[in-house]
Structures are given as structure tokens and as C-alpha cells.
Amino acid sequence: MRHEFQDLSKLGEALEFPVARLWKSGDKCRSPNGDLLGGCYEESYLALKIKPPSKSIPEAIELIRIAFAKVPVELLPIINDPTLRKILYCTIESGAEELRLPEIKVLFDLGIELGFD
């Protein structure tokens, strides 16, 4: 997730997935190990690790749907902010994946883009 200025840390806690990377706009840039890199981040960023047991994209989408449904009401203005960019970035390790309309609709309804590697 990316946002111009919003602190996304409480949203990361509420979604209950492990946080991979987190910073807010204006924080000093750091490497994944925490070393200072110079400069400041221009936008807030939150990366979560979503690891469905079957490693399927439809299962990941279902876990996201459930997590978003549990977001506390006080965080709804953040998660529903149209300027919050939400992307489900997927790495396909082997074979093919099939997304059906119900999974695509969940992503659409939640305002989540889909990216692949």
C-alpha cells in the first residue's frame, strides 16, 4: 500500500499479516537491514506478507477479503481513501493460476490492483 502522507502502521496492525516493510512519508530512507541510505521517503509505504497455505492467488484473495472485513471502523477512512494505492503483488513460482470473476470482484470491491512476477 502507498499513500502520499498517511501513516499506515495502524492499518498494518489491523490487517494482521506480517509486515515486510513499513515507513511513512518523511522518514529517513533505510535498507531492509535498517542501515541509513540518505534522503527521506516521499510517500508512506506498507508491504505485508500474505502466505496462503496452498500458495494460490484465489486463497490469498480470500485471506485479504477476511482481513479487510475485520478492519476497525476508525480505520475505514484510511483503507477506503481513494488516494491509498493497494496492490496485491503475486509471484508465480510454477504452473498457472486461474482467477474467476468472484475473486476479481473482491479485488475490485476493495480497490486492490493486481500485479505479477
Side-chain angles (χ1 to χ4, degrees), residues 22-115:
L22 172 68
W23 60 75
K24 64 181 178 185
S25 176
D27 285 351
K28 293 182 180 183
C29 295
R30 295 183 178 273
S31 73
N33 295 332
D35 301 325
L36 285 173
L37 299 173
C40 294
Y41 293 111
E42 294 181 9
E43 64 182 357
S44 297
Y45 178 80
L46 170 64
L48 302 168
K49 290 185 180 188
I50 301 166
K51 294 189 174 194
S54 71
K55 297 186 178 181
S56 75
I57 296 171
E59 188 177 19
I61 292 170
E62 179 61 11
L63 292 174
I64 292 166
R65 185 194 66 73
I66 292 167
F68 272 54
K70 295 179 183 178
V71 169
V73 69
E74 64 269 14
L75 295 178
L76 290 179
I78 297 172
I79 204 150
N80 292 326
D81 182 341
T83 64
L84 176 66
R85 186 165 183 212
K86 299 172 279 209
I87 304 167
L88 173 59
Y89 185 77
C90 303
T91 300
I92 299 178
E93 295 176 352
S94 64
E97 288 276 349
E98 183 176 297
L99 291 180
R100 298 176 184 247
L101 286 177
E103 290 99 16
I104 295 169
K105 183 176 183 329
V106 167
L107 294 176
F108 178 81
D109 290 345
L110 296 174
I112 300 174
E113 301 172 36
L114 187 58

